[in-house]
Each structure stands twice: as structure tokens, then as C-alpha cells.
């Protein structure tokens, strides 16, 4: 059975092709982010949806942070998104400005989230992996200092520079 997601990479790949380029764990994160965006009434998956899925789904992602209290604080901020924190994002397109806004973009994805997914695929390719994993996506999210995910990380007291350095030194070990 082929894993399908609702993302079309910047290279014009069909959405079903992405399933072959993600680990099972990352495909699950993408599906969870899509469900969360839909449930929250958001038009697009954004970087905070992806971060939330990563934290809930992958022990290696949680281990990249400075312990359980920091992860709990992050999850607390992300859960508050629909009841308070993050309400100003509701109905607005996340565009961090890190990449030029492409006409049409990737349907159902904020420009920053699409760029993060492309970054995860690039990271996997750079380490000669056939599939992008959860740590690849986390590193790509942290690479955009103006994204919603990084805003949440900073509000929760995460040193994003230190996290990025830690992720650059990590061997994801996901194939």
C-alpha cells in the first residue's frame, strides 16, 4: 500500500510520489498536521501544525530538546493555538518571507510549510538517504527564523540556534 499525502513538492512531483520520499513516521506527521489544520478551521497546513505533529509522534524529535519539561511547554503552547495563543494566525497565510511567494504555491500548504518540506527532502538527499525523516523536517523548520514554528519554539524558551546546531550534528538514522 502506498502512503499518500496532500503535498506536491516544488519540483512538480505528484502528491503520491511524496509518500515514497518520506519515512513512515514523517508521512504520519504530515497526515496529522493536515487533520489538525482541518480541525482548527485553517485553510493551510503551516509550520506550527508540522511542529505539533513532530512533537506528538516522534521520540527522536522529543529527544532533540532539553528534556521533558521543555517538550511539555512546547506542546502546551501548541495546544493553546485553537483556544487563545495563535488565534491571530487564524485565517491568515503563513508567509515568513524566507522564500519568494510562488504564484499558486502548493495547495493546502503555507509557503513556509512547503519550504520546510522541501528543506527536509534536501537534507535527506544531502546525506544520501532515500527518504526524509522527522529530524530532517525539524531541522528545516528551525532553519526559517520567521516561521510560526520558530515563534512557538522561542516562546517556549527553546534556544533555536543551539537546537539547529544539535540537529546538524545528529545522525537522523532514518531511511
Amino acid at each position: 500500500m502506498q502512503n499518500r499525502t496532500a503535498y506536491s513538492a516544488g519540483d512538480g512531483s505528484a502528491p503520491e510520489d511524496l509518500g515514497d520520499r518520506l519515512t513512515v513516521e514523517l508521512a504520519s506527521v504530515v497526515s496529522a498536521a493536515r487533520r489538525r489544520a482541518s480541525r482548527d478551521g485553517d485553510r493551510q497546513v503551516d509550520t506550527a501544525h508540522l511542529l505539533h505533529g513532530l512533537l506528538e509522534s516522534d521520540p527522536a524529535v522529543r529527544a532533540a530538546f532539553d528534556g521533558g519539561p521543555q517538550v511539555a511547554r512546547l506542546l502546551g503552547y501548541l495546544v493553546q493555538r485553537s483556544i487563545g495563543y495563535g488565534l491571530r494566525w487564524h485565517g491568515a497565510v503563513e508567509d515568513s518571507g524566507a522564500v519568494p511567494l510562488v504564484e499558486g504555491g502548493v495547495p493546502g500548504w503555507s509557503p513556509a510549510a512547503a519550504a520546510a518540506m522541501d528543506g527536509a527532502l534536501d537534507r535527506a538527499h544531502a546525506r544520501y538517504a532515500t527518504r526524509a525523516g522527522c529530524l530532517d523536517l525539524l531541522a528545516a523548520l528551525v532553519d526559517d527564523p520567521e516561521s510560526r514554528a520558530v515563534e512557538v519554539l522561542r516562546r517556549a524558551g527553546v534556544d533555536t540556534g543551539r537546537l539547529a546546531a544539535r540537529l546538524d550534528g545528529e545522525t537522523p538514522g532514518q531511511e
Side-chain angles (χ1 to χ4, degrees), residues 108-165:
W109 287 72
S110 74
M117 187 59 68
D118 286 339
L121 294 167
D122 289 345
R123 285 181 65 89
H125 179 72
R127 62 182 171 80
Y128 303 103
T130 57
R131 296 171 184 237
C134 292
L135 290 175
D136 294 318
L137 180 56
L138 179 61
L141 289 172
V142 174
D143 281 346
D144 182 354
E146 300 302 318
S147 71
R148 291 176 181 173
V150 170
E151 182 179 337
V152 171
L153 291 167
R154 287 185 183 138
R155 283 186 178 259
V158 174
D159 180 339
T160 56
R162 185 171 152 192
L163 177 60

Side-chain angles (χ1 to χ4, degrees), residues 24 31 56 67 108 110 148 170:
V24 171
S31 293
E56 285 184 330
S110 74
R148 291 176 181 173
E170 292 246 357

Side-chain angles (χ1 to χ4, degrees), residues 76-90 155:
Y77 274 111
L78 289 162
V79 167
Q80 290 179 42
R81 173 186 180 131
S82 61
I83 60 171
Y85 176 75
L87 277 180
R88 64 191 162 88
W89 296 336
H90 191 70
R155 283 186 178 259

Side-chain angles (χ1 to χ4, degrees), residues 47-61:
T47 59
H49 293 123
L50 292 169
L51 177 62
H52 199 158
L54 286 169
L55 287 166
E56 285 184 330
S57 301
D58 194 312
V61 166

